[in-house]
Amino acid sequence: MKIIYSPKCLDYCETSHPESPRRVRESFLFLKEKGFEFEEPGLCNEADLLLVHEEGLIEKVKNGNFFEADTPDLPGIYEYAKLSVAAAILAMETALKGGTSFSLMRPPGHHATKRRLGGFCYFNNLAIAVKKALSSVKRIAIVDLDGHHGNGTQDIFLGEERVVYLSLHQFPAYPGTGAYSFENCFNFPLSPGTGEKKYLEALAEALEKVKKFNPELIAVSAGFDTAKGDPLLQLNLFPSSYEKSGKELASLGRPIFSILEGGYSRELPKCIYRYLQGLIKEES
Ligand SMILES: [Zn+2]
C-alpha cells in the first residue's frame, strides 16, 4: 500500500471552509504513526488536464478568473489543483504496476465537470487519471464512495463504453443530481439516516455490476463525508464500515487506486485508516 502525499497541499486555506488543510494534515500524521509509506507526486502538465477539461476552465483556474462561493479563487490554486491531479495519476500508475495506492491530497475533484468547477473541486483528479489509464487498459470501473453524487465524473464519462461509473450518495443533497441511473452511470441514492446495514447492501449491489463489467482497473473516489457526525451529510457510517467497504472492493481481485474526496469530521484519519486496512487485509 502506497500513500501519495505532498505537504504542499496544506499550504492553501480559506478561513472557516470545511475543506481545510487540517483534515489532510491530521490524516497524514495518523497514517504515518501507523507505519504507512508515502511518496511525493511529480508534476502534471496542461495536456493531462486537457484529457478531461475544456480549455476555458483551465484558463479560468490559471488566471483566477472565476467566482464560485464554495470553490474560492485562492492565490496559487492552479498549482495546488495540478499537484492533486499529479497525485491521482501517480496513484493510478502505482495500481497498474500491481500495487494498491491511495492519494491523500486536496483539493478534491469529483464535482468538477468538463467545463465547470464547483463543490470544492477545480479539476477532476480521478477522471484525468482514468482517461490516462484508458491508453493502456480496456475497461475501468469507477466506484464513487463520497457521500455526494460525483456529478463531474458522471458528466465526463456518460456514454463512454469502456468505463462504468457507480455512485452511492445521499439524496437529496448537494449537487442535486444522482437520483437516477443513465447508460453506463449507475446511481444509488440513499436517504439521510441510511446507516451501515443499508449502505453495505447498496454497495454489494453496486459491486455486482462491477464484477459483471469485468474491469481491468478499479478507481475509487474515496470520500468519507458518509461518516456519522460529518457536518455536511447524515449517512451515519462508522470507522469500521470503511474497513468492510475496503474489504469488499479488494475481494474483486483487481488493481485498485483510491483518491481522497470529501470527509469533514474529526474522525477522518480513523476512517481512512480503517478503509486502507480493509483493502490491505484482503490483499495479504
Ligand atoms: Zn462529498
Side-chain angles (χ1 to χ4, degrees):
M1 169 64 64
K2 196 168 273 176
I3 314 285
I4 317 297
Y5 170 76
S6 164
K8 287 193 192 113
C9 81
L10 309 177
D11 289 350
Y12 74 94
C13 174
E14 169 86 334
T15 313
S16 69
H17 196 292
E19 203 288 279
S20 68
R22 193 199 67 207
R23 42 193 292 279
V24 172
R25 185 188 312 114
E26 287 180 357
S27 302
F28 165 72
L29 292 171
F30 191 81
L31 294 175
K32 195 175 168 210
E33 202 184 288
K34 296 287 183 188
F36 281 90
E37 282 177 25
F38 298 85
E39 186 172 338
E40 289 226 14
L43 295 171
C44 93
N45 55 42
E46 212 166 301
D48 294 327
L49 305 177
L50 281 165
L51 289 172
V52 159
H53 296 296
E54 289 188 0
E55 219 169 325
L57 172 64
I58 298 167
E59 287 304 313
K60 264 187 204 167
V61 180
K62 195 193 273 180
N63 302 323
N65 178 24
F66 60 93
F67 177 79
E68 214 280 340
D70 288 340
T71 317
D73 158 27
L74 297 168
I77 195 65
Y78 178 65
E79 295 302 326
Y80 296 120
K82 277 205 306 183
L83 194 60
S84 197
V85 171
I89 292 171
L90 180 56
M92 173 276 288
E93 289 168 347
T94 305
L96 284 182
K97 283 182 198 148
T100 306
S101 57
F102 183 88
S103 170
L104 179 66
M105 291 288 285
R106 55 191 288 270
H110 75 151
H111 294 305
T113 70
K114 289 175 200 154
R115 60 184 72 87
R116 273 209 333 262
L117 53 85
F120 319 163
C121 305
Y122 301 86
F123 300 132
N124 198 315
N125 310 311
L126 176 137
I128 294 167
V130 165
K131 278 270 186 189
K132 236 177 141 72
L134 282 173
S135 62
S136 47
V137 299
K138 285 198 191 78
R139 285 181 310 281
I140 302 176
I142 301 170
V143 181
D144 191 328
L145 299 182
D146 187 88
H148 297 95
H149 180 236
N151 58 312
T153 311
Q154 175 171 294
D155 168 68
I156 291 158
F157 292 108
L158 185 67
E160 164 60 78
E161 285 172 7
R162 296 166 64 200
V163 172
V164 72
Y165 173 77
L166 305 105
S167 175
L168 277 70
H169 48 267
Q170 181 169 311
F171 189 90
Y174 179 88
T177 51
Y180 304 102
S181 298
F182 301 94
E183 301 181 42
N184 59 329
C185 296
F186 298 95
N187 289 313
F188 296 81
L190 304 165
S191 320
T194 285
E196 182 187 277
K197 189 174 173 290
K198 278 192 194 156
Y199 184 90
L200 291 177
E201 282 168 13
L203 180 65
E205 209 184 305
L207 296 188
E208 268 312 308
K209 290 192 185 296
V210 173
K211 258 190 221 166
K212 234 182 183 172
F213 185 66
N214 194 22
E216 287 161 82
L217 178 67
I218 297 173
V220 183
S221 261
F224 299 87
D225 39 16
T226 41
K228 194 173 172 61
D230 191 276
L232 303 190
L233 295 170
Q234 301 79 36
L235 286 173
N236 298 343
L237 299 188
F238 304 114
S240 56
S241 315
Y242 299 101
E243 187 160 335
K244 292 172 187 165
S245 301
K247 233 175 150 172
E248 289 302 320
L249 281 161
S251 73
L252 298 171
R254 305 298 150 99
I256 297 180
F257 71 100
S258 305
I259 311 287
L260 178 66
E261 300 283 0
Y264 309 98
S265 81
R266 297 304 291 262
E267 294 290 286
L268 178 64
K270 210 183 280 174
C271 295
I272 296 176
Y273 173 63
R274 296 295 293 267
Y275 171 69
L276 299 178
Q277 287 291 102
L279 285 175
I280 295 166
K281 267 190 190 159
E282 189 62 36
E283 208 179 38
S284 56

